[in-house]
Amino acid sequence: MTRVRPTARGVGAALLGVLLVVVGLWWRYPGVTGMGVALVLLVVAGLVSVLPRSRVAPERTVRPRTVQRLGSCRGVLELTGTSRRFPVVLDATEQVAGEPVAVDVPLLPPGRRVEVEYPIPTHARGLLRVGPLLLGRRGLAGLARARAVVGDVVEVRVVPRVLPVRGLPGGVRRGHVGADERVERGGTDLVGLREYVPGDDLRRLHWATSARTGTLMVREDADPARPHLAVVLDDHAEGYPDAARFEDAVEVAASLVTAAIAEGHPVRLLTSSGAVDVELPAGAVEADASVVLAALADLGVAAVGGVRSVPVRDLDVVAVVCGAAADLSVLALEAGRASVGVVLVVDPAPDHPVAAVGSVLVLRAATAEGLLDAWNAVVSR
């Protein structure tokens, strides 16, 4: 849809032209009348120059549709000049989350094609609505303009950043579900049984249970070199006086989970409020990691208190991520249930970057990068 209308300059020129025509006719001044008629005709010519029969064929795309926060997302505006004689002067404005973003469009030569790339701001997580793009064409002497809507409203999902992190300490698992001892190195850990399906290794059959139930049952073992990781993200509003600190906490959680998935560990991500509870088995792939990032994309702080309890089978390595104002005693108690418990605190002014509360390691840093550097130095190996 194209809208043609005079600019403020065009409206002023038209009003002045009409006034001169009236005054010239009233006082019988042909020169003044002619000047007024010329101004009015000039405005009409300006409107005609931007009539809907555009001299431009526009097309707009936005890519990628999923991007990490502060990552590169770009719009591409392709313009093809259909006039063979006259260059076209254009301006464009993209709507991003309801806010206008100016697009610098060069002079379009006649019969030529121009491609313009422009950045889409990705400062905030969540679903970002981009568009429509408004393409403007200025008429003769800037007296009129036409504005056309180019492209649809598209949605870009902004997910948390994933920062470099080395992963989990290897070879630390509980002896079996509910046990307190650790299996440090070697062997496997029986964590459950399931029914046999064609293709299963017959050496993994659990004969005692199969004989008792009359159904072939297969062992589900866990490699002690690949412990479970449970990440508990405290999402309570009182823990984050500064909203920017919550973004750091989300990025720490996303980075730990993504690194563990890349190494083949079973992973569980929970939030204190219960808004997010995602479990991925060992051997999950990159596409599964995107599920976690999508779950965190729209997460905001919650007003309800309490802390979700980590299931017993996930109590190998528990990482609790929180803000400086969170109730550390409650969170450390939850982390202390695990074989390895770590609390990562986003603290803008940390007094003790590395400390301990009982058997729980407490890391403090002002940014997500600082916390993950501390994790790499102290926890992972």
Side-chain angles (χ1 to χ4, degrees):
M1 181 175 62
T2 302
R3 297 179 180 179
V4 178
R5 62 181 60 186
T7 62
R9 180 188 298 178
V11 171
L15 292 176
L16 179 59
V18 171
L19 179 61
L20 290 176
V21 169
V22 171
V23 171
L25 292 175
W26 181 265
W27 294 102
R28 298 181 181 178
Y29 289 151
V32 175
T33 302
M35 186 179 297
V37 171
L39 279 175
V40 173
L41 291 177
L42 187 61
V43 174
V44 172
L47 290 170
V48 171
S49 69
V50 291
L51 283 176
R53 287 293 180 182
S54 174
R55 298 171 181 170
V56 178
E59 183 178 349
R60 185 269 264 141
T61 57
V62 176
R63 54 180 184 243
R65 296 297 182 87
T66 300
V67 61
Q68 293 186 18
R69 190 176 75 90
L70 302 179
S72 176
C73 179
R74 306 190 71 80
V76 179
L77 178 62
E78 297 180 1
L79 302 169
T80 303
T82 58
S83 172
R84 297 184 179 273
R85 296 182 180 179
F86 305 102
V88 182
V89 179
L90 299 167
D91 60 72
T93 304
E94 183 74 275
Q95 303 294 315
V96 180
E99 297 294 329
V101 175
V103 179
D104 186 17
V105 181
L107 181 70
L108 181 62
R112 300 287 298 276
R113 180 184 179 189
V114 173
E115 182 176 287
V116 181
E117 286 195 13
Y118 55 95
I120 303 295
T122 57
H123 303 297
R125 285 179 299 108
L127 202 59
L128 195 63
R129 295 176 62 84
V130 180
L133 184 138
L134 301 178
L135 185 64
R137 184 158 54 95
R138 293 188 291 274
L140 181 66
L143 298 175
R145 67 179 292 121
R147 303 199 77 178
V149 177
V150 180
D152 300 324
V153 176
V154 299
E155 294 182 341
V156 175
R157 184 169 294 278
V158 182
V159 300
R161 288 189 303 165
V162 175
L163 303 171
V165 58
R166 280 205 291 264
L168 307 186
V172 178
R173 279 195 54 81
R174 289 178 169 248
H176 54 80
V177 177
D180 292 328
E181 68 272 15
R182 301 180 185 181
V183 177
E184 294 295 343
R185 295 287 177 186
T188 55
D189 180 23
L190 175 62
V191 296
L193 299 170
R194 61 173 175 81
E195 287 190 19
Y196 170 84
V197 295
D200 283 337
D201 187 350
L202 295 177
R203 291 173 298 178
R204 302 178 67 83
L205 286 173
H206 195 272
W207 294 107
T209 305
S210 299
R212 187 174 64 253
T213 61
T215 303
L216 291 178
M217 303 296 291
V218 178
R219 294 168 54 97
E220 283 193 318
D221 297 330
D223 185 348
R226 298 187 186 277
H228 286 247
L229 170 68
V231 176
V232 180
L233 173 60
D234 181 37
D235 58 345
H236 295 134
E238 63 269 17
Y240 305 93
D242 182 0
R245 302 283 78 83
F246 182 64
E247 293 300 324
D248 285 297
V250 171
E251 289 173 358
V252 169
S255 301
L256 290 174
V257 169
T258 303
I261 291 173
E263 294 182 355
H265 295 279
V267 173
R268 192 180 198 111
L269 171 67
L270 309 96
T271 57
S272 294
S273 67
V276 174
D277 188 350
V278 179
E279 182 179 7
L280 296 176
V285 296
E286 185 177 351
D288 298 313
S290 65
V291 174
V292 176
L293 296 180
L296 291 173
D298 301 320
L299 181 67
V301 293
V304 181
V307 177
R308 286 290 299 274
S309 182
V310 178
V312 173
R313 65 171 299 173
D314 298 318
L315 291 176
D316 297 332
V317 179
V318 173
V320 178
V321 188
C322 63
D327 188 347
L328 188 60
S329 61
V330 174
L331 297 176
L333 186 63
E334 182 64 25
R337 298 172 56 219
S339 294
V340 175
V342 184
V343 177
L344 300 98
V345 185
V346 182
D347 189 345
D351 293 330
H352 304 287
V354 180
V357 177
S359 62
V360 176
L361 187 65
V362 180
L363 307 178
R364 295 178 180 269
T367 63
E369 292 86 348
L371 280 175
L372 293 175
D373 286 344
W375 173 280
N376 290 337
V378 178
V379 180
S380 65
R381 59 174 184 250

